Amino acid sequence: MSTVNWNSVFKLPKSALQDDRAIHKTKLTQAGNLTSADDKSLKKMNSLRLFATVQESSTRIFASVDEERDIRCIIFLRCEMQDSEAYAEVARVLHKCFPNPTVILFEGSDQLCISVSITRKNLAEAGTTVVETVTSTGPFCIEDQSRKRFFDSLAFSELPQEGLYVFLEAIAWRVKLSQAIETVGFFPVCPACKRSTMTSLLDEQGSLSSQIKSISRQQNTRDLTLNESSKLRIDKKRLQKQLDTTVEAIKELCND
């Protein structure tokens, strides 16, 4: 199992770091009102530990409390996986177990993943919160030099600190941008005024990449007919052409 010095990436103040205290699955089940399917997903997790808490008392970043949000603390968790690398599946369950927004630092057998949730007030039930968005890097290797710029961007001193929501949203945005590294070849950045366009391009890039990977898996099926194989090859070529166009659009946006 990987033993990663996550604070070499985030560089959080010592006052924000916790004692790596274990969080037991029974507490998660009670807090998250989990289903049997959720419990099954958590069996793919080996352990969950509290890594850090970012709040006003530990970082001097003000809470974000208004009509829409009540963010007084951001919880950083370190999750060691079993042999499975079902990060998205486990993240979906873990994020909803906490009323605070969470940054989950996954450690797999040979890959890592970062997943970030942003919460908002629950309009249907006063005093509670719901998960508004979840953004994930997907699997990566920390030794990957193409991600160095991404890792550097997550350092505490590089993130805006006007309030906890602004701080959290900046982490989520950087995680979103990192999704393009595999296909673009570098960590993309763009002007704030182009963020909406970049988001659309990243979503399209992710969808096309997933479809291409799905076809590649299907092509490895031994019992494909000649017609099925031909159709998959044509579909893959079409999707790859669309992906190439999207990647070029992302690169152009970064150069604006």
Side-chain angles (χ1 to χ4, degrees):
M1 187 64 65
S2 173
T3 54
V4 181
N5 179 5
W6 284 105
N7 213 38
S8 67
V9 174
F10 289 95
K11 297 180 172 61
L12 296 170
K14 288 184 179 179
S15 55
L17 301 179
Q18 299 298 313
D19 56 5
D20 221 24
R21 179 172 75 253
I23 301 173
H24 298 292
K25 294 179 184 178
T26 52
K27 291 186 177 181
L28 294 174
T29 301
Q30 295 169 357
N33 192 24
L34 303 184
T35 65
S36 57
D38 292 335
D39 286 333
K40 185 176 180 180
S41 294
L42 290 185
K43 289 181 180 179
K44 298 179 180 180
M45 177 183 75
N46 187 46
S47 68
L48 184 70
R49 296 180 180 277
L50 180 61
F51 172 69
T53 53
V54 172
Q55 54 193 350
E56 187 174 347
S57 62
S58 63
T59 63
R60 298 182 179 178
I61 301 178
F62 293 127
S64 297
V65 182
D66 54 31
E67 292 183 356
E68 185 178 7
R69 305 186 192 281
D70 187 350
I71 300 177
R72 303 170 192 266
C73 178
I74 302 169
I75 298 175
F76 285 68
L77 302 166
R78 189 169 66 84
C79 180
E80 294 184 355
M81 299 289 284
Q82 299 273 13
D83 294 335
S84 169
E85 292 183 346
Y87 304 121
E89 178 185 341
V90 176
R92 175 188 61 78
V93 178
L94 290 178
H95 282 306
K96 71 178 184 179
C97 291
F98 296 86
N100 305 96
T102 46
V103 179
I104 305 176
L105 313 172
F106 285 102
E107 300 180 19
S109 56
D110 59 359
Q111 291 183 313
L112 310 173
C113 178
I114 300 173
S115 184
V116 183
S117 69
I118 296 179
T119 59
R120 62 168 174 78
K121 288 182 178 179
N122 186 351
L123 300 179
E125 186 177 348
T128 63
T129 62
V130 294
V131 175
E132 181 179 55
T133 62
V134 173
T135 310
S136 172
T137 59
F140 66 84
C141 295
I142 201 165
E143 295 84 5
D144 185 353
Q145 289 303 305
S146 67
R147 295 182 181 269
K148 184 180 184 306
R149 192 174 177 184
F150 166 56
F151 298 141
D152 291 344
S153 77
L154 295 176
F156 183 78
S157 61
E158 297 298 316
L159 296 165
Q161 299 177 18
E162 300 95 295
L164 287 179
Y165 172 67
V166 175
F167 179 85
L168 174 68
E169 198 273 338
I171 295 176
W173 176 240
R174 285 156 172 75
V175 166
K176 179 72 173 179
L177 288 171
S178 76
Q179 295 171 357
I181 294 176
E182 184 177 348
T183 50
V184 177
F186 59 89
F187 178 58
V189 294
C190 73
C193 62
K194 301 290 182 67
R195 180 174 289 199
S196 177
T197 303
M198 177 64 86
T199 298
S200 296
L201 289 171
L202 292 173
D203 288 342
E204 184 177 358
Q205 174 262 324
S207 175
L208 290 169
S209 296
S210 296
Q211 291 178 68
I212 291 170
K213 289 178 180 178
S214 177
I215 289 177
S216 295
R217 289 192 293 269
Q218 293 177 61
Q219 287 177 317
N220 291 329
T221 304
R222 294 182 179 180
D223 57 352
L224 284 176
T225 66
L226 186 60
N227 286 341
E228 290 172 335
S229 180
S230 177
K231 183 179 184 303
L232 287 174
R233 185 171 62 254
I234 293 171
D235 288 346
K236 186 176 181 179
K237 186 176 181 179
R238 173 179 55 80
L239 291 169
Q240 185 61 54
K241 186 175 181 179
Q242 294 177 20
L243 178 59
D244 292 342
T245 300
T246 303
V247 168
E248 286 306 311
I250 292 174
K251 291 180 178 179
E252 289 178 12
L253 198 62
C254 292
N255 293 328
D256 285 349

